[in-house]
Amino acid sequence: MKNNYLLLLIILMSTTTIFSQEDKIVYNRDGLKISYQLILEAEGKKKDKYILLVNALNENNYDLYYDVPLYKNNQGQWNLPLTPQERGFTKIDIRNSTGLFGNGQSIIGDQSNFFTNNHTILFNIRQGGVYTQETTFKVKSGVKPIITNSINSVLKKIDEFDLMLSAEMLNGNYVSSCGNIRINISASNSEARGDFLIQTTNGSQFFWIKKSETTFVRENNSGLTLTYNKSDNSFTYSSSDGIVCDWIKK
């Protein structure tokens, strides 16, 4: 009989542990799933202590991005906000926590090198990526935690942002639609030329001087123009005599 009671007690304890660690989904939309696990760490006379594990999963077959506003300091430099909540895209709050700030938890993506023309920087949620944060909090003894979630940023594909051109975007190997010629592009800057591109084709180099956000003109030949297409990371090559070619990034 004692063995039966012991077995029943073990089963009940195991069931309680499994239940306390069960994933609870608080957001599931457009391929983004946010869930949490709540674990009772300690029971007290006045307060119970919990562990909160927050998970975000990108189930899409492409990366998601969100932008975070940059702030200008007294020296005129643009900087990221200091608080995690301002850099995160979602936050789970414990509404009845006894902590001063609610002991909520924000999830922050991976900081990228992409900037927008609106003075923001993009953070990345990788395809298939799982992002986890952990925190502890307390509630009054015997009180069930009240947990809510808020989405702070709209997550989109990268081509939905008005990106500022960067070397990371421009650099790489391209193939021309005119003759399948292979071309290497490298972005650079100098005091004499300003922002410019170095085109390497069959061992020869050509320089393209930046004239606008997306337009470059061949050095010493203003009749040749390169236009960068943000939507598909390609260039359009055009000449004054009507030749037009697409340079596709590979």
Side-chain angles (χ1 to χ4, degrees):
M1 181 65 71
K2 290 184 178 179
N3 289 338
N4 291 338
Y5 280 126
L6 180 61
L7 179 61
L8 179 61
L9 180 61
I10 292 174
I11 292 173
L12 288 173
M13 290 177 63
S14 299
T15 303
T16 302
T17 302
I18 293 172
F19 178 76
S20 65
Q21 296 183 7
E22 179 185 2
D23 265 352
K24 295 188 178 180
I25 299 173
V26 292
Y27 185 89
N28 191 4
R29 183 177 175 184
D30 299 327
L32 178 66
K33 182 184 291 184
I34 300 172
S35 62
Y36 71 87
Q37 295 178 1
L38 193 60
I39 303 169
L40 178 59
E41 184 178 19
E43 291 181 298
K45 292 183 178 179
K46 294 184 177 180
K47 296 180 181 180
D48 295 335
K49 184 177 181 181
Y50 284 86
I51 298 173
L52 177 69
L53 299 172
V54 184
N55 301 293
L57 168 64
N58 178 9
E59 297 182 311
N60 293 290
N61 59 359
Y62 50 83
D63 289 359
L64 290 171
Y65 291 84
Y66 66 97
D67 60 337
V68 173
L70 298 172
Y71 296 90
K72 188 179 288 188
N73 62 19
N74 294 333
Q75 288 73 44
Q77 300 169 326
W78 293 96
N79 294 291
L80 279 165
L82 295 177
T83 64
Q85 184 173 349
E86 290 181 283
R87 289 181 278 120
F89 65 93
T90 185
K91 184 182 181 184
I92 284 187
D93 288 297
I94 300 91
R95 295 297 181 184
N96 56 345
S97 167
T98 58
L100 181 61
F101 299 105
N103 300 109
Q105 190 60 261
S106 297
I107 297 185
I108 302 172
D110 300 317
Q111 183 177 331
S112 78
N113 294 320
F114 295 119
F115 295 85
T116 74
N117 289 311
N118 298 318
H119 302 299
T120 66
I121 183 171
L122 297 192
F123 280 70
N124 178 25
I125 308 298
R126 300 183 310 275
Q127 169 189 339
V130 179
Y131 295 77
T132 302
Q133 292 290 341
E134 176 182 334
T135 190
T136 59
F137 67 92
K138 293 181 180 180
V139 294
K140 291 182 179 179
S141 181
V143 174
K144 183 179 179 180
I146 300 173
I147 297 176
T148 59
N149 178 72
S150 58
I151 300 293
N152 304 325
S153 301
V154 178
L155 279 78
K156 301 181 288 188
K157 295 181 180 180
I158 193 167
D159 58 10
E160 297 181 62
F161 293 93
D162 181 18
L163 295 179
M164 182 183 297
L165 285 190
S166 65
E168 184 176 359
M169 296 168 61
L170 300 171
N171 292 348
N173 296 313
Y174 297 78
V175 175
S176 174
S177 62
C178 299
N180 290 323
I181 300 172
R182 296 186 176 275
I183 301 159
N184 178 266
I185 293 292
S186 177
S188 189
N189 177 276
S190 71
E191 186 174 342
R193 291 188 173 101
D195 293 330
F196 66 98
L197 302 178
I198 303 172
Q199 171 198 347
T200 304
T201 305
N202 296 327
S204 299
Q205 285 191 337
F206 306 93
F207 299 93
W208 296 83
I209 311 303
K210 186 176 181 180
K211 293 300 181 181
S212 70
E213 173 65 17
T214 57
T215 303
F216 301 82
V217 174
R218 173 83 74 86
E219 187 176 59
N220 301 323
N221 190 341
S222 59
L224 299 178
T225 304
L226 270 184
T227 303
Y228 184 73
N229 308 303
K230 295 181 182 180
S231 59
D232 58 3
N233 297 325
S234 69
F235 284 99
T236 298
Y237 167 97
S238 58
S239 67
S240 56
D241 55 3
I243 298 175
V244 177
C245 306
D246 293 322
W247 294 3
I248 309 301
K249 197 170 191 178
K250 299 298 182 181

